[in-house]
Amino acid sequence: MQNLGIELFRGVLGRRARCLTWLALGVFAWGAAVAGQPALSAEKISPGLLQGLHSGVYEAGARIPIIVRVDAGFFEEQRQRWDRNGRTPLNTMRSVHAFNTALPPAQIELLSRSPLVEYITLDAPLTAYGKGGNQPARGGTLGEESDPITDTSPAGNTVLQTLGVDQLVGLDGSGVNVAVFDSGVYSHPDLNGVHLASVDFTSGQAVTGSEDGTFNGDPYGHGTHVVGLIAGDGFKSGGLYRGVAPGARVVDVKVVSKDGSGLTSNLIKAIDWVIEHRKEYGVRIANLSLGHPPLESYQDDPLAQAVGRMVDAEIVVVASAGNTGKTEEGDAIWGAISSPGNHPDVITVGAMNHRGTASQADDIATTFSSRGPTFRDEYFKPDLVAPGNKVIGPLQKGSYIDKHFRGLRLSHFYAELSGASMATALVTGTIALMLDANPDLNHHLVKTMLGVTAVKMEEALLLEQGNGMVNAKAAVEFAMATDVANRTVADFDPLWTLPDGDTVRPGGAFASGDFVVYSTLVDASTLPLWGNSSNWSGYQLAGGAGWADSIFDPNAMLWADATLWADAMLWADAMLWADAMLWADAMLWADAMLWTDAMLWADAMLWADAMLWADSRY
C-alpha cells in the first residue's frame, strides 16, 4: 500500500511540480489506514466527476485533469515553507487551498481516501460565453443560432439607448479599473488608452506583459469584443459603437488560448494574481464572460469559491450566466447557471434580445441564455439580464472567430456577437459608471442597486430574466444619491423616457439567493406588482412552498447529474437528458429556497438598515 501511495504522489507531482513532496510525506501517515476501506470516498468527489468514474467512460490508463482541495491548515503550513524557500509550486491555487494535476481513475479513487484531501473535482475546460465559445452551430453562427433582430443598421446605438447610457452626462467610468478574464485583448483603434496592465495565464503561470499600453493580443477574438463593450470609445465608428464606460481602464488577464480553450485551474491562479495585485492596479471590478457548466454546489466548486475571495477582497465581481439555455433539439433547459455565476454573491448576468431597437416593449428572453435556479443549491439566478443578441463591438480581424464565423463581421473593425458574454460586459460597464458616480459603493450595494432598479420584462419568466433588464440610468443615479458614510439615500426620480416616448420604470422588487425585498422605487399601491404591472404573486404556489408549474415550459428539462463526456475530456456538444429529468412532482423545491411566508410584501421591507447597510451580505 505504501509503494502504491508513493506512485500515486509521483503522479500527482508530475514533471512540472516535483517540489510538492510535502504531499508525499503524508502518504505514510494514512497509507496503512486505508487498507480494507471502501474503494471510493464518494462524498469527496464532484458529482460530475463521480458520474464519469462510475459510467466507465474513462479508460483505465486515462489521465483525468482534476483539482484537489486539501486541508487548509496543512496547505497554509506548506505555503509558509514555500514562501521561505521562494519556490511555490506552479500547480497550486492559494485562494482555495488546492492544486491541479492529472491522474488515472484508480489513483483518483485512492487519493479520495486520504485524510489530507477534502474534495476532488474536474479541472473543467473553460467556455467563453460569446455564443458558446468555439463550437460552431447550425446556420454558421458562433455557438447557437442567434435570435432575429429587426434592424441591423440602427441610426444610433440602440443598446446604449435601451440602457439609458446615452442620457448619462458627465460620467464615463474614469478612475475605475476592471480586470477582464478572457482570451486577451487586441490593440484595436477603439481601445487606445484603455490598457492598464496585462498578464497571461494560459500556460498555467503568470507571464506579465509590458506596461506601455500593449495588450496580450487576442488570436481568439472574444476578449477584444468584451473589452470594447465595456470601455471602447467607438473611434472607428465615429463614436457610434462605443462601450458603456469609455473612461475605464482594463487589466487584461488572459486565460483562454487562440482556439478558445482554457482550464479552470489557470483561471483560479489568475484570480489569485488579481487579488494579490488589486491594490497595485486599483482593480474595482472583475469581468468573467466565461466559465464552465455546473458540476457541484457552489460551496464545493473551487472556481466559485475563488471568485468569492475576490468579493471578500472588495472587488465587484460580474459573471456570465452561460449559454446553456436549450438542447440541440431546441428544448429549454432550467437550472444550468454556469460556474462561477452559481455563487450567490456574484452578479450573474444572462442575455436578452433587444431586437435592435431602443424600445423595451419588444424585448424578449433569448433561447440560448442559461436559466436558473442554480444547480444543486437552487438559488435564484440570473441576477439580471442585458442585451446579448447580435451586439456590435470591436473585431480583431484574422482572429479565430473572424476566420470561422465570417458572417458575423460587419466591417474590418466590428462584428456582431451573441451570448451572455456580451450582456455581462454591458453590466460591467454600467458598474464602472456607478463607481465613477460614487466610489464608496461596495460589491453588495452595487448588486442591490442593480437588482432594485432593473426593469421587469413582460415576455420573460422569472428564472430567465432574474430581477429584469439592467437599467443603467436609474442605477447610476441611485448611486449618485447614496451617501454610504451616513447611510442615507437622497430623493431622486427613478423614471426616465426612451427615445420612443415610453417611460422606463424600475421594478422595485429584488430577489437574491434565497430572499426577496421590496423598495420604495415603485408606488406602494402597486403591491404585489412588478414595476411594469406584471404580477409576481401569480408565480408562487399557495403559501410560497415552491415554484408554480406556470413558470416552466412544459417541454423543458432540468440540468441533470449525468453528463456526456467526449473522449478528449472536453464537453460534448450536448448533455445526456434522461426522460426522468422532465419537470415532475418529484422535482421539489424546498421551502428554504425562495419565496416563503417570511418574505413579506410590506412597508417593513422598504429601505431599512436590514437591506442596504447590514453587516451581513446585503
Side-chain angles (χ1 to χ4, degrees):
M1 179 60 66
Q2 290 178 352
N3 289 337
L4 178 60
I6 292 173
E7 287 301 314
L8 163 65
F9 285 105
R10 284 177 179 169
V12 170
L13 304 182
R15 294 182 177 180
R16 293 175 53 203
R18 292 198 181 278
C19 52
L20 274 179
T21 52
W22 55 277
L23 273 177
L25 298 176
V27 73
F28 294 103
W30 61 270
V34 300
Q37 296 296 315
L40 183 66
S41 182
E43 71 276 5
K44 291 184 178 182
I45 306 286
S46 157
L49 175 58
L50 189 64
Q51 189 278 333
L53 293 172
H54 284 168
S55 67
V57 297
Y58 304 127
E59 296 181 0
R63 297 179 69 85
I64 305 168
I66 57 174
I67 295 174
V68 183
R69 189 179 75 233
V70 299
D71 175 76
F74 183 68
F75 186 95
E76 287 302 318
E77 177 184 326
Q78 301 307 315
R79 184 187 63 80
Q80 293 174 16
R81 182 178 301 173
W82 300 331
D83 288 346
R84 288 195 300 269
N85 296 335
R87 297 180 61 192
T88 301
L90 297 179
N91 65 338
T92 58
M93 289 156 275
R94 291 191 174 192
S95 64
V96 291
H97 303 126
F99 65 91
N100 64 287
T101 186
L103 294 175
Q107 292 189 354
I108 292 175
E109 294 181 3
L110 180 60
L111 190 63
S112 72
R113 297 157 63 192
S114 166
L116 298 177
V117 172
E118 293 187 345
Y119 193 72
I120 305 173
T121 189
L122 282 164
D123 190 357
L126 298 175
T127 297
Y129 290 120
K131 294 308 296 174
N134 61 357
Q135 294 295 327
R138 302 181 301 273
T141 57
L142 187 59
E144 297 138 317
E145 64 271 43
S146 295
D147 296 314
I149 64 173
T150 58
D151 183 3
T152 57
S153 20
N157 189 323
T158 56
V159 169
L160 299 186
Q161 291 174 350
T162 296
L163 305 183
V165 173
D166 61 318
Q167 300 192 37
L168 293 169
V169 180
L171 295 170
D172 63 0
S174 293
V176 181
N177 299 335
V178 184
V180 178
F181 298 84
D182 217 292
S183 60
V185 185
Y186 158 63
S187 295
H188 190 280
D190 283 12
L191 302 179
N192 287 332
V194 173
H195 178 272
L196 180 64
S198 293
V199 62
D200 186 341
F201 271 90
T202 54
S203 67
Q205 59 182 310
V207 178
T208 54
S210 65
E211 308 251 342
D212 61 356
T214 303
F215 284 108
N216 273 313
D218 182 19
Y220 183 56
H222 185 271
T224 299
H225 197 274
V226 165
V227 169
L229 296 180
I230 296 170
D233 63 6
F235 175 76
K236 295 302 293 187
S237 63
L240 176 61
Y241 298 126
R242 71 175 181 86
V244 177
R249 301 183 72 190
V250 167
V251 177
D252 171 17
V253 187
K254 189 173 185 177
V255 293
V256 173
S257 299
K258 62 183 179 180
D259 60 353
S261 65
L263 285 175
T264 295
S265 58
N266 291 343
L267 175 54
I268 295 173
K269 294 169 192 175
I271 289 171
D272 288 350
W273 185 92
V274 168
I275 293 173
E276 181 180 355
H277 294 86
R278 69 190 185 284
K279 293 184 178 179
E280 178 183 353
Y281 295 113
V283 174
R284 293 298 313 276
I285 311 172
N287 184 97
L288 296 102
S289 289
L290 43 69
H292 64 71
L295 295 169
E296 57 246 318
S297 163
Y298 85 92
Q299 299 179 73
D300 293 321
D301 183 342
L303 178 54
Q305 289 302 302
V307 297
R309 301 289 190 276
M310 279 201 289
V311 174
D312 294 341
E314 301 179 354
I315 297 173
V316 181
V317 180
V318 194
S320 166
N323 290 342
T324 314
K326 61 182 178 180
T327 66
E328 287 294 308
E329 292 72 30
D331 294 324
I333 300 171
W334 297 87
I337 298 294
S338 295
S339 171
N342 59 340
H343 194 294
D345 284 348
V346 168
I347 299 169
T348 306
V349 185
M352 50 79 67
N353 185 354
H354 80 301
R355 293 186 168 182
T357 69
S359 172
Q360 297 180 353
D362 60 353
D363 295 344
I364 59 174
T366 59
T367 59
F368 58 79
S369 187
S370 295
R371 300 171 177 85
T374 60
F375 179 58
R376 300 189 82 82
D377 302 297
E378 300 173 352
Y379 282 137
F380 183 92
K381 289 284 182 175
D383 291 297
L384 70 166
V385 292
N389 191 77
K390 294 190 175 181
V391 180
I392 299 171
L395 165 73
Q396 175 163 359
K397 186 179 178 182
S399 64
Y400 182 101
I401 288 176
D402 182 40
K403 289 179 179 178
H404 289 77
F405 307 95
R406 188 61 60 87
L408 303 178
R409 183 199 290 183
L410 298 182
S411 71
H412 291 312
F413 297 100
Y414 295 100
E416 53 179 23
L417 301 186
S418 299
S421 286
M422 288 65 251
T424 302
L426 295 173
V427 172
T428 291
T430 297
I431 295 169
L433 297 181
M434 295 171 70
L435 294 178
D436 184 5
N438 189 341
D440 293 334
L441 298 179
N442 61 27
H443 171 92
H444 299 302
L445 287 172
V446 167
K447 183 177 180 182
T448 301
M449 291 175 176
L450 287 170
V452 169
T453 57
V455 180
K456 307 305 184 276
M457 298 166 58
E458 296 280 2
E459 301 298 329
L461 298 171
L462 281 178
L463 295 178
E464 290 177 323
Q465 66 172 304
N467 289 290
M469 184 175 64
V470 63
N471 182 350
K473 186 174 188 297
V476 171
E477 291 179 351
F478 193 171
M480 294 176 66
T482 301
D483 183 339
V484 176
N486 293 309
R487 300 189 173 191
T488 60
V489 179
D491 290 337
F492 73 100
D493 185 0
L495 306 183
W496 54 279
T497 305
L498 285 162
D500 63 3
D502 287 348
T503 298
V504 178
R505 297 177 180 273
F510 171 51
S512 180
D514 58 359
F515 71 93
V516 184
V517 291
Y518 194 83
S519 84
T520 58
L521 292 187
V522 175
D523 187 339
S525 65
T526 64
L527 284 172
L529 305 181
W530 295 97
N532 62 0
S533 298
S534 295
N535 192 329
W536 191 341
S537 64
Y539 293 124
Q540 298 178 246
L541 289 178
W547 299 98
D549 292 338
S550 62
I551 288 186
F552 302 108
D553 180 335
N555 297 318
M557 298 180 180
L558 177 68
W559 183 261
D561 291 346
T563 310
L564 183 63
W565 301 101
D567 292 340
M569 282 305 302
L570 297 177
W571 295 100
D573 291 340
M575 294 299 169
L576 184 60
W577 307 110
D579 291 340
M581 288 298 114
L582 295 176
W583 288 105
D585 292 340
M587 301 296 179
L588 299 179
W589 303 104
D591 290 352
M593 181 182 175
L594 271 185
W595 321 114
T596 68
D597 291 340
M599 300 301 174
L600 301 178
W601 300 91
D603 292 342
M605 298 302 293
L606 301 181
W607 294 110
D609 289 346
M611 180 173 180
L612 277 179
W613 315 116
D615 292 333
S616 58
R617 286 197 332 209
Y618 296 100

